[in-house]
């Protein structure tokens, strides 16, 4: 750690992890858990060894594995169907969660003495407890918010010795009904500041007047004085364009703050001819806040922000920068194949880019605050965000969670809404309304610029519940919004906070309860669900509905509705857990993008059905489509806007083609061909060059193809992976919602022709070679440059 104004270093490396509980008594004296004396150690027993040990002992401890954060221990385990073993269908996806411990030795240089040192956690599952050098520092319940602990006084500086941090993570309980993972699953940071410093999440930037010619930007900066003396300071804020760094505004102010107190400095800057932020033009500025004392820079903090206006209108729906902007959203949980919830930034970026390619312009972080990285990426890549609080709770703990979400996230231009709850049992009751109103009041105080919302599924008409938020979220409620919302409450602001729940399994065309598969024709959707085309055509017909958030963009572990064990993952996604598109992905793309497309389902390998009638569905945004079976026209049909089309066709192997026309001119073509047998493996990395930072990731699509290179739609070949060079295989997957194969293995079966391998860069430049081998198939190599 070098002595600069502020340092914030990654604290992700060199941890040891132990799975299982260890009894640690509650500290009766400060530092008791530190085993300060041999006597205390003898009296208190072996547990002291993990809270306070010398370096050699630390390395040698049995039952402790070296890990790097982010870390989710669930995917390392086996699937079990036994709640008494701590395995739950929803929250744990039938994997064992339980309790785990993390510890790490670290040193703090002597020159840090006198500074304020904190450990900042982006997110830890469930209940966590932190000890530093045996001092019980804090406990936390709530796996989705970020938090920090001041550890200044209990550190050993320089020659005083090494430091040890111990974190207990108890993930036995659950906060949600989806897969939550287990562990320190987001980043940890070690931060050092002067005792006079900008507070945690201490800047708040809002554009108060926005026009083509200028934007007035209000910047509030909260200063903490953690020393006993009064301090005078100069605060300089410089606004730059993020790309290129051109300075566009600057303001300096002088102020002071009493000892052990805080103060907020307000500044107003003008940006001439501002570039507005939108998903199509995610233009970012950066405010660099500099704090000087007696002319010496003592703190510096950079806040990325964007300039835009948002408005919800009772008739026109959502307006972004003054223009009607229908929300094409997806709800998402945070996990992915291969890694669980320990998501490398590159994989979050990959998920978001896949959503954008589908035409999605908004992300609902269901049902909890996302990682800081996700919001940074939504700002950069361009996605609106419904930022969601975990639950309806106005207790001091609940309000603290809400507060930490809003303070942390309120500078992100991507965030347009604070969703305060999802489908709570107290919806529609007077007590629920009281709680919700308190939460709205807090949200308004912390951020007067964004509306609050609650994602309701029944409570929109009673108890005054809907009046407690600015915007009423209708989960599966387009019909409800139509009937109750519009007629009874013509002035109500409405949004389709959740819809569809269209359960399909990639590459499957018949429901199979035994295997836990749902047909891609959507014949096994839950009673509350509907096809996304129904949800979207509602929005197109009734703009006041504002938009929809389809449940979900991706399949996720847990919640295997409509099945249970042995099915272990959900079926709601437009894409599977690996990000491979299902057929319904193309329906969304047809509804949400202008790019002409025709997509046909099912696949065309049905040797047992020759001569029998097959239901073929076309997803298209063209005006008409003409089908050709082995070159013969089966006729042309006009397409109803926002609707799919069904055809009944007598099956014969060969080629089924659909030609789409717009204004009478051919605009797109979709095809299905009968493939040959599995012949070879094909590897397609999403990126062929990744950074040598020990973090970056390439996602490699593994396809089983026939001699002509067509993906064989039923192939389930077992593929072994061999990796050499400057990186490692960190996980595998195949999108099969009932697969009990481990995601942490070096092999995987394909599911309906596809599997996934995730390669993570090492810290040294070079290249990674992935070799994929399967009995009877031509093997394949992929090379990723690491630079
Ligand atoms: C909703 C709920 C989601 C998910 C979904 C499944 O009611 O908000 O979390 O459970 O149902 O259809």
């Amino acid at each position: 750690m070098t002595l600069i104004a502020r340092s914030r270093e990654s604290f992700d490396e060199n941890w040891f992890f132990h799975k299982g509980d260890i009894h640690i008594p509650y500290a009766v004296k400060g530092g008791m858990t530190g085993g300060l004396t041999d006597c205390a150690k003898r009296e208190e027993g072996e547990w002291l060894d993990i809270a306070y040990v010398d370096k050699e002992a630390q390395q040698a401890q049995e039952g402790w594995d070296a890990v790097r954060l982010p870390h989710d221990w669930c995917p390392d385990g086996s699937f079990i169907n036994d709640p008494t073993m701590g395995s739950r269908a929803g929250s744990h996806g039938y994997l064992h969660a339980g309790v785990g411990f993390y510890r790490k030795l670290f040193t703090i240089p002597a020159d840090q003495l006198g500074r304020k040192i904190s450990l900042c956690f982006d997110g830890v599952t469930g209940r966590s407890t932190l000890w530093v050098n045996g001092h019980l520092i804090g406990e936390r319940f709530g796996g989705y918010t970020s938090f920090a602990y001041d550890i200044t006084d209990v550190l050993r500086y320089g020659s005083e010795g090494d430091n040890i941090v111990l974190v207990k993570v108890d993930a036995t309980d659950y906060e949600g009904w989806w897969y939550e993972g287990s562990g320190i699953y987001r980043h940890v940071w070690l931060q050092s500041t002067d005792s006079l410093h900008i507070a945690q999440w201490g800047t708040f930037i809002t554009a108060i007047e926005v026009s083509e010619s200028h934007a007035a930007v209000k910047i509030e900066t909260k200063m903490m004085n953690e020393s006993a003396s009064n301090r005078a300071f100069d605060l300089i804020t410089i606004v730059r364009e993020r790309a290129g760094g051109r300075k566009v505004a600057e303001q300096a102010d002088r102020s002071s703050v009493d000892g052990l107190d805080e103060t907020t400095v307000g500044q107003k800057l003008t940006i001439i001819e501002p570039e507005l932020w939108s998903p199509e033009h995610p233009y970012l500025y950066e405010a660099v806040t500099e704090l000087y004392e007696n002319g010496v820079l003592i703190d510096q903090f950079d806040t990325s922000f964007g300039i835009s206006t948002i408005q919800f209108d009772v008739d026109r729906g959502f307006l972004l920068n003054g223009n009607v902007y229908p929300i094409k959203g997806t709800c998402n949980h945070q996990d992915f194949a291969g890694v669980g919830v320990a998501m490398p930034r590159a994989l979050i970026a990959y998920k978001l880019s896949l959503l954008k390619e589908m035409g999605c312009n908004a992300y609902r972080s269901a049902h909890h605050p996302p990682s800081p990285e996700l919001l940074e990426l939504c700002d950069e890549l361009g996605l609106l965000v419904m930022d969601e609080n975990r639950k309806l709770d106005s207790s001091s703990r609940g309000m603290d969670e809400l507060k930490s979400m809003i303070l942390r996230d309120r500078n992100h231009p991507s965030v347009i809404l604070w969703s305060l709850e999802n489908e709570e049992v107290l919806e529609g009751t007077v007590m629920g309304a009281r709680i919700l109103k308190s939460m709205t009041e807090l949200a308004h105080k912390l951020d007067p610029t964004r509306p609050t919302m609650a994602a309701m599924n029944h409570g929109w008409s009673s108890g005054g519940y809907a009046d407690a938020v600015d915007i009423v979220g209708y989960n599966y409620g387009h019909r409800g919004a139509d009937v109750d919302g519009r007629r009874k409450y013509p002035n109500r602001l409405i949004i389709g906070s959740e819809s569809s729940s269209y359960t399909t399994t990639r590459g499957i065309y018949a429901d199979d309860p035994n295997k836990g598969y749902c047909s891609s024709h959507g014949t096994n959707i839950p009673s509350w669900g509907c096809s996304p085309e129904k949800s979207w055509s509602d929005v197109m017909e009734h703009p006041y509905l504002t938009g929809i958030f389809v449940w979900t963009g991706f399949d996720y572990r847990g919640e295997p509705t409509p099945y249970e064990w042995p099915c272990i993952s959900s079926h709601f996604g437009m894409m599977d857990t690996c990000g491979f598109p299902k057929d319904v992905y193309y329906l969304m793309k047809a509804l949400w993008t202008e790019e002409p497309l025709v997509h046909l389902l099912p696949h065309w390998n049905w040797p047992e059905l020759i001569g029998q009638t097959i239901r073929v569905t076309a997803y298209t945004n063209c005006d008409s489509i003409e089908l050709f079976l082995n070159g013969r026209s089966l006729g042309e049909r006009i397409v109803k806007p926002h609707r799919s089309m069904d055809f009944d066709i007598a099956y014969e192997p060969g080629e089924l083609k659909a030609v789409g026309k717009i204004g009478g001119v051919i605009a797109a073509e979709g095809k299905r061909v009968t493939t040959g047998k599995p012949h070879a493996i094909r590897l397609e990395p999403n990126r062929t060059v990744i950074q040598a930072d020990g973090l970056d990731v390439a996602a490699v699509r593994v396809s089983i193809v026939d001699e002509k290179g067509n993906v064989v739609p039923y192939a389930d070949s077992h593929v072994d992976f061999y990796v050499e060079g400057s990186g490692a295989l960190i996980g595998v997957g195949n999108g099969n919602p009932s697969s009990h194969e481990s995601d942490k293995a070096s092999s995987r079966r394909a599911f309906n022709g596809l599997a996934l391998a995730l390669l993570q860069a090492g810290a040294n430049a070079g290249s990674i070679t992935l070799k994929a081998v399967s009995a009877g198939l031509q093997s394949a190599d992929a090379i990723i440059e690491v630079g």
Side-chain angles (χ1 to χ4, degrees):
M1 195 182 302
T2 43
L3 197 62
I4 50 172
R6 163 186 292 249
S7 71
R8 186 174 152 86
E9 293 178 357
S10 169
F11 206 62
D12 288 346
E13 306 235 29
N14 301 324
W15 288 82
F16 286 86
F17 169 68
H18 170 81
K19 177 84 194 294
D21 205 356
I22 301 166
H23 176 64
I24 301 191
Y26 190 74
V28 288
K29 287 186 183 175
M32 269 298 277
T33 40
L36 289 178
T37 63
D38 282 349
C39 169
K41 194 166 178 175
R42 272 197 306 279
E43 281 170 14
E44 297 299 330
E46 285 309 299
W47 55 269
L48 287 172
D49 288 343
I50 63 158
Y52 179 82
V53 284
D54 61 71
K55 207 166 202 159
E56 281 86 333
Q58 152 87 5
Q59 305 300 342
Q61 287 278 326
E62 266 179 42
W64 290 81
D65 298 325
V67 293
R68 187 174 72 186
L69 309 179
H71 180 245
D72 175 3
W73 75 68
C74 277
D76 290 324
S78 313
F79 295 96
I80 41 166
N81 181 22
D82 184 355
T84 62
M85 296 289 292
S87 130
R88 290 174 205 279
S91 51
H92 301 146
Y94 293 109
L95 288 165
H96 185 260
V99 178
F101 280 80
Y102 295 82
R103 65 196 178 106
K104 162 174 167 133
L105 277 180
F106 62 106
T107 56
I108 296 285
D111 64 8
Q112 289 292 308
L113 192 60
R115 292 176 64 79
K116 279 282 158 190
I117 317 277
S118 320
L119 275 181
C120 311
F121 292 82
D122 285 352
V124 183
T125 324
R127 282 173 207 274
S128 62
T129 313
L130 181 96
W131 294 264
V132 172
N133 294 332
H135 293 258
L136 176 62
I137 301 295
E139 289 177 292
R140 181 92 192 172
F141 180 59
Y144 298 105
T145 42
S146 304
F147 54 93
Y149 291 118
D150 180 346
I151 56 170
T152 306
D153 290 344
V154 299
L155 286 171
R156 303 189 181 100
Y157 295 85
S159 60
E160 288 176 29
D162 290 343
N163 296 283
I164 185 156
V165 55
L166 175 71
V167 183
K168 175 180 180 179
V169 180
D170 185 346
T172 316
D173 263 337
Y174 53 98
E175 292 182 77
W177 49 95
W178 54 90
Y179 174 80
E180 304 195 279
S182 303
I184 308 181
Y185 75 99
R186 293 180 184 166
H187 298 295
V188 182
W189 309 90
L190 181 67
Q191 180 176 287
S192 161
T193 64
D194 192 275
S195 53
L196 174 63
H197 61 98
I198 298 153
Q200 183 195 30
W201 308 318
T203 56
F204 183 30
I205 306 183
T206 45
I208 45 177
E209 293 154 25
V210 179
S211 69
E212 272 187 20
S213 63
H214 79 283
V217 175
K218 194 169 124 193
I219 304 186
E220 287 169 13
T221 308
K222 183 168 155 191
M223 228 68 65
M224 299 282 296
N225 180 4
E226 298 195 75
S227 65
S229 51
N230 298 357
R231 313 267 292 261
F233 60 86
D234 294 296
L235 185 77
I236 301 180
T237 302
I238 300 160
V239 176
R240 298 184 186 282
E241 292 169 345
R242 268 263 305 252
R246 187 173 73 95
K247 182 158 79 167
V248 295
E250 175 169 354
Q251 186 172 325
D253 288 277
R254 168 157 279 244
S255 186
S256 67
V257 53
D258 289 346
L260 300 181
D261 209 345
E262 60 189 46
T263 189
T264 298
V265 178
Q267 297 180 311
K268 194 173 153 193
L269 291 84
T270 301
I271 297 175
I272 304 299
E273 294 179 356
E275 295 261 4
L276 300 191
W277 185 95
S278 69
E280 292 68 35
H281 184 63
Y283 196 88
L284 294 172
Y285 292 93
E286 188 150 69
V288 180
T289 311
E290 293 177 345
L291 177 63
Y292 290 87
E293 188 178 38
N294 301 321
V296 177
L297 181 69
I298 59 164
D299 198 6
Q300 178 179 324
F301 186 76
D302 300 344
T303 311
S304 178
F305 70 101
I307 299 172
S308 58
T309 63
I310 58 170
Q311 189 193 339
F312 287 84
D313 182 273
V314 78
D315 296 316
R316 294 187 292 165
F318 179 62
L319 281 79
L320 181 66
N321 298 326
N323 302 312
V324 173
Y325 195 93
I327 290 176
K328 303 167 177 173
T330 55
C331 304
N332 292 287
H333 287 317
Q334 48 183 350
D335 64 315
F336 198 66
V339 295
V341 292
M343 292 286 290
R345 187 184 182 95
L347 271 189
I348 304 175
Y350 182 50
K351 280 181 81 172
L352 297 178
S353 62
L354 291 172
L355 290 174
K356 277 197 71 118
E357 277 164 30
M358 188 175 73
C360 176
N361 64 21
Y363 184 101
R364 175 178 178 212
S365 165
H367 301 300
H368 56 77
S371 67
E373 282 174 311
L374 184 131
L375 291 181
E376 287 162 20
L377 287 161
C378 286
D379 290 351
E380 288 167 15
L381 299 172
L383 275 165
L384 303 169
V385 176
M386 178 191 287
D387 200 348
E388 190 154 288
N389 183 54
R390 179 57 222 94
K391 66 183 201 291
L392 183 74
D393 185 354
S394 63
S395 69
S396 57
R397 206 192 65 78
M399 295 298 245
D400 202 47
E401 296 245 310
L402 178 62
K403 187 174 171 186
S404 69
M405 173 178 86
I406 295 177
L407 291 183
R408 191 195 69 174
D409 297 346
R410 62 188 176 169
N411 291 319
H412 289 282
S414 53
V415 175
I416 56 165
L417 276 170
W418 302 120
S419 171
L420 302 181
E421 64 91 351
N422 174 74
E423 298 192 354
E424 287 281 349
V425 284
L426 288 182
E427 265 177 28
T429 65
V430 289
M431 182 189 284
R434 278 198 299 273
I435 298 173
L436 194 60
K437 183 164 174 282
S438 298
M439 295 172 76
T440 280
E441 284 168 357
L442 177 65
H444 284 169
K445 180 171 161 48
L446 299 172
D447 178 12
T449 70
R450 292 178 181 86
T452 61
M453 191 213 80
M456 309 177 198
N457 88 345
H458 62 273
W460 44 70
S461 301
S462 56
Y465 195 79
D467 301 331
V469 278
D470 302 315
I471 297 180
V472 182
Y474 281 77
N475 280 11
Y476 307 92
H478 295 129
R479 288 139 288 182
D482 258 343
V483 178
D484 293 340
R486 195 57 175 180
R487 293 198 195 135
K488 281 207 228 153
Y489 312 102
N491 294 321
R492 180 174 276 185
L493 295 173
I494 287 173
I495 193 166
S497 40
E498 189 172 317
S499 72
S500 277
S501 276
Y502 195 65
T503 37
T504 64
T505 309
R506 178 179 57 75
I508 294 291
Y509 298 96
D511 297 323
D512 188 337
N514 292 327
K515 289 190 175 153
Y517 299 157
C518 296
S519 166
S520 299
H521 289 291
T523 43
N524 196 8
I525 64 172
S527 55
W528 60 92
C530 68
S531 160
E533 66 188 299
K534 163 74 182 127
S535 305
W536 188 244
S537 53
D538 281 349
V539 174
M540 290 294 90
E541 283 158 30
H542 307 295
Y544 62 85
L545 292 173
T546 302
I548 53 166
F549 286 84
V550 168
W551 190 268
T552 47
F554 297 87
D555 283 348
Y556 48 94
R557 291 173 175 77
E559 209 177 19
T561 309
Y563 305 116
E564 293 177 352
W565 179 268
C567 193
I568 45 122
S569 290
S570 82
H571 300 73
F572 300 112
M574 306 294 112
M575 289 171 264
D576 67 17
T577 49
C578 298
F580 297 140
K582 302 181 186 176
D583 291 299
V584 66
Y585 165 96
Y586 298 96
L587 170 60
M588 297 319 301
K589 198 164 177 164
L591 295 171
W592 283 353
T593 71
E594 299 293 310
E595 184 190 327
L597 79 84
V598 184
H599 175 82
L600 295 175
L601 62 146
H603 64 68
W604 214 238
N605 283 52
W606 305 102
E608 69 288 5
L609 295 182
I610 292 175
Q612 295 186 39
T613 301
I614 285 195
R615 166 62 54 100
V616 169
T617 302
Y619 298 144
T620 185
N621 48 12
C622 296
D623 303 340
S624 69
I625 48 175
E626 184 172 4
L627 278 194
F628 296 88
L629 181 55
N630 291 326
R632 298 186 317 273
S633 172
L634 303 181
E636 186 170 0
R637 276 167 53 184
I638 302 298
V639 179
K640 281 195 196 144
H642 316 303
R643 295 286 170 190
S644 57
M645 287 183 95
D646 292 330
F647 303 83
D648 288 328
I649 294 175
Y651 175 74
E652 62 186 61
E655 179 190 88
L656 179 70
K657 185 166 88 174
V659 174
K661 291 186 189 155
I662 297 179
V665 178
I666 294 178
E669 191 178 287
K671 237 200 258 196
R672 292 286 192 164
V673 294
T674 308
T675 72
K677 292 200 174 67
H679 172 75
I681 303 173
R682 185 167 68 213
L683 298 179
E684 294 162 285
N686 70 327
R687 295 159 67 206
T688 50
V689 182
I690 58 177
Q691 285 176 43
D693 57 4
L695 305 168
D696 209 357
V697 173
V700 184
R701 176 196 284 240
V702 181
S703 307
I704 310 300
V705 296
D706 69 3
E707 254 177 324
K708 293 184 179 152
N710 299 307
V711 176
V712 180
Y714 56 83
D716 63 353
S717 320
H718 180 97
V719 183
D720 287 305
F721 300 111
Y722 301 92
V723 175
E724 277 179 8
S726 10
L729 181 71
I730 55 163
V732 294
N734 65 9
N736 178 351
S738 299
S739 168
H740 290 187
E741 290 172 275
S742 171
D743 277 17
K744 292 293 182 189
S746 56
S747 65
R748 188 68 176 222
R749 234 169 225 297
F751 176 59
N752 293 332
L754 301 178
L756 179 80
L758 299 175
L759 299 176
Q760 186 159 50
N764 300 319
S767 64
I768 310 175
T769 304
L770 171 70
K771 191 172 190 62
V773 177
S774 181
L777 300 184
Q778 226 171 61
S779 57
D781 289 329
I783 296 178
I784 315 285
E785 297 302 325
V786 180

